[in-house]
Amino acid sequence: MRRPSPAAYDLIREFEGLRLHAYTDAVGVWTIGYGHTANVEPGSVIDSSEADALLRMDVREAEESIADHVPEGVIQSLPQACYDALVSFIFNVGTQAFVRPGGGKTDFIRALLGSDRAEVARQMQRWVKGRVSGDLIVLPGLVRRRGAEAALWGAGLHVGERAQPQAAHRVIAEAATVQPHPPRT
């Protein structure tokens, strides 16, 4: 299985932040450490080494989701920066980025499997909404995170695919025209 570089972990840490006491995130999910949500209860407390262990476990889960839904040849063909951006995105959004309820493919997975690699970053930037107090709203933190993920993806295209040297700039410029999707809840 392909592994993310430290850049993926840095991106996740930057946007998740480290919280050693359980808290509810922007959409009301109990969270601890670097965005860990499984089996978190009010009053839970961990230390930084436990937070790092949970982060590694959650990143591994994202990697497994990618491996389960993306052909190995596609995964191996990605420049490292693109793979790192993909891991951060799936860490945050989850498997729903690949599979619709009922089993159909999402626009995101179709872009990932397609020939226009810049389309992947545009699709990432659609996932900026969350349900807050019953309303589906754009969350500024997700807008910033998707922008950083798209920029990392675009940097990978710039380095990894010389035929698309303007991909990062094109992706960022077109981001505002894409309709957002909600994150996992």
Side-chain angles (χ1 to χ4, degrees):
M1 181 180 296
R2 183 156 184 192
R3 304 300 311 205
S5 78
Y9 285 91
D10 291 347
L11 188 60
I12 292 167
R13 283 185 181 105
E14 176 183 342
F15 283 97
E16 295 294 342
L18 174 60
R19 302 278 294 270
L20 300 177
H21 294 85
Y23 67 98
T24 55
D25 68 7
V27 296
V29 176
W30 282 101
T31 307
I32 201 163
Y34 295 104
H36 179 76
T37 59
N39 303 315
V40 178
E41 298 176 3
S44 296
V45 178
I46 60 174
D47 62 28
S48 60
S49 65
E50 290 172 303
D52 286 335
L54 290 172
L55 175 60
R56 286 189 303 276
M57 181 180 73
D58 292 342
V59 166
R60 177 59 114 191
E61 215 174 277
E63 291 175 82
E64 289 171 1
S65 180
I66 292 165
D68 288 347
H69 295 91
V70 181
E72 181 67 20
V74 172
I75 294 169
Q76 293 305 322
S77 73
L78 293 175
Q80 186 65 47
C82 291
Y83 185 72
D84 291 342
L86 180 61
V87 168
S88 176
F89 177 72
I90 296 303
F91 175 94
N92 185 243
V93 173
T95 300
Q96 74 173 353
F98 297 129
V99 182
R100 293 184 190 282
K105 290 182 179 179
T106 64
D107 291 341
F108 177 78
I109 188 67
R110 281 194 291 276
L112 189 59
L113 299 176
S115 61
D116 180 5
R117 291 261 169 104
E119 179 63 22
V120 173
R122 288 189 290 277
Q123 290 299 321
M124 283 177 174
Q125 293 182 346
R126 294 177 67 184
W127 295 76
V128 296
K129 288 188 175 184
R131 195 161 299 282
V132 178
S133 301
D135 295 324
L136 194 59
I137 63 169
V138 173
L139 300 175
L142 287 179
V143 171
R144 287 188 304 276
R145 182 179 189 146
R146 296 301 170 251
E149 289 163 345
L152 183 58
W153 179 275
L157 295 182
H158 180 70
V159 170
E161 297 182 4
R162 296 292 179 201
Q164 296 187 39
Q166 300 301 316
H169 302 290
R170 193 173 76 226
V171 165
I172 293 166
E174 294 174 0
T177 65
V178 178
Q179 187 66 20
H181 281 296
R184 71 178 177 197
T185 55

